[in-house]
Amino acid sequence: MGEQSLPIESQFSGGVIAIDGPSASGKSSTARAVADALGFAHLDSGSLYRGMTLVGLREMARRGIPGNDPARDLAPETLLRAAEDRGLMLQPDEGGFAAYLEGEPVDDELRSAEVTARVSAISAIPVVREWINARLRAMVRAGQNVVVDGRDIGTVVFPDADLKIFLTASAEARAGRRISQRGAAVQPERLDAEAAALAARDHADSTRAVAPLRPAPDAVHLDTTAMDFPEQVRFIVERARPIFGR
Ligand code: CDP
């Protein structure tokens, strides 16, 4: 049975706001602020894909396998077993959940250039997606109200989400935000290089066979190119309040 034909609505009990969109569109920071405003928890599905990539890189080092391409050099079962054995999980932190591996928070490492360069290949592995989706759904089934951000949250993971947002911004705005996030000056060469890296990841994420990045038919589109952060958060919170009565 395909994932989409499962009776998912009968499996989850918490409220769900799904925020999908391309790389660096501001999904995670927006999702966290929306969650804070509503008293929901924030689940960043990308941190699990990044976490799985870090698991793969560490496993290769542990086994003395040269290179840094775990999607190519490790069997999917080896990767999943390592994720279980090393305790890849989301654990509550203030206002949401943070990724833990081997008992330690790993958020900074998950943002490294090495993980970022390899994550799209890892996220194209179907069993990796099933493993991560099962964890996201279990958290909602436990009754948690959540804002979940990713690429396929409104299309595959929670197709019956109460509210779906598809967040976009121009390539240049996204590249500029990502560079500023790192604390660097937004110079033209940097902007070009960052925009090219984001475009490559978006292309890989949009054209893969499983769960490609695309808006759900019932998603509300929000282009944040000309919006500031409080405005985009307000836009979503105002749509959510009547739905959840908050
Ligand atoms: O922060 P950024 O937008 O750059 O990416 P992210 O949300 O941390 O996601 C990192 C990568 O994980 C993406 O480029 C996708 O390859 C993958 N991903 C996915 O396939 N499905 C999701 N629901 C979330 C992330």
Side-chain angles (χ1 to χ4, degrees):
M1 193 193 282
E3 282 206 81
Q4 304 233 38
S5 54
L6 289 169
I8 287 161
E9 71 279 24
S10 62
Q11 298 176 10
F12 72 81
S13 49
V16 176
I17 299 175
I19 302 183
D20 289 304
S23 305
S25 54
K27 298 178 303 292
S28 292
S29 43
T30 306
R32 175 144 302 213
V34 169
D36 284 350
L38 296 170
F40 283 25
H42 168 220
L43 296 181
D44 173 0
S45 66
S47 70
L48 283 175
Y49 288 96
R50 288 174 180 273
M52 192 61 88
T53 308
L54 184 59
V55 165
L57 290 167
R58 287 191 183 174
E59 192 60 23
M60 286 179 63
R62 210 171 267 123
R63 290 170 180 238
I65 301 172
N68 58 2
D69 192 352
R72 186 192 64 196
D73 294 334
L74 287 179
E77 307 74 56
T78 306
L79 194 59
L80 292 192
R81 195 163 337 108
E84 298 274 356
D85 291 350
R86 308 286 166 192
L88 173 63
M89 62 181 76
L90 293 177
Q91 283 197 8
D93 71 349
E94 69 293 339
F97 288 83
Y100 276 67
L101 183 60
E102 299 177 51
E104 305 276 344
V106 283
D107 277 348
D108 289 344
E109 253 184 289
L110 297 188
R111 296 271 140 209
S112 70
E114 192 179 28
V115 168
T116 301
R118 299 296 169 191
V119 63
S120 281
I122 290 288
S123 71
I125 302 171
V127 291
V128 165
R129 304 201 70 83
E130 283 159 25
W131 190 92
I132 289 175
N133 291 349
R135 267 140 199 87
L136 296 172
R137 290 179 184 137
M139 293 173 96
V140 173
R141 224 168 17 240
Q144 188 82 244
N145 287 322
V146 289
V147 184
V148 195
D149 75 280
R151 302 291 186 292
D152 62 338
I153 305 305
T155 50
V156 173
V157 188
F158 297 115
D160 298 305
D162 304 278
L163 176 62
K164 300 179 187 179
I165 305 288
F166 196 78
L167 208 62
T168 54
S170 71
E172 196 176 59
R174 294 190 282 126
R177 287 176 194 168
R178 192 55 36 118
I179 294 168
S180 316
Q181 219 175 35
R182 287 195 211 112
V186 183
Q187 297 159 342
E189 323 78 76
R190 265 198 201 129
L191 203 60
D192 289 350
E194 188 66 34
L198 290 178
R201 198 141 59 86
D202 288 344
H203 180 73
D205 292 343
S206 308
T207 54
R208 67 181 174 218
V210 254
L213 167 67
R214 62 180 169 80
D218 52 346
V220 178
H221 288 247
L222 179 58
D223 183 333
T224 66
T225 308
M227 276 180 149
D228 65 20
F229 186 69
E231 262 178 297
Q232 69 195 46
V233 173
R234 207 173 323 118
F235 178 96
I236 301 173
V237 170
E238 276 170 11
R239 264 150 201 81
R241 287 202 193 282
I243 297 171
F244 297 99
R246 290 182 178 233

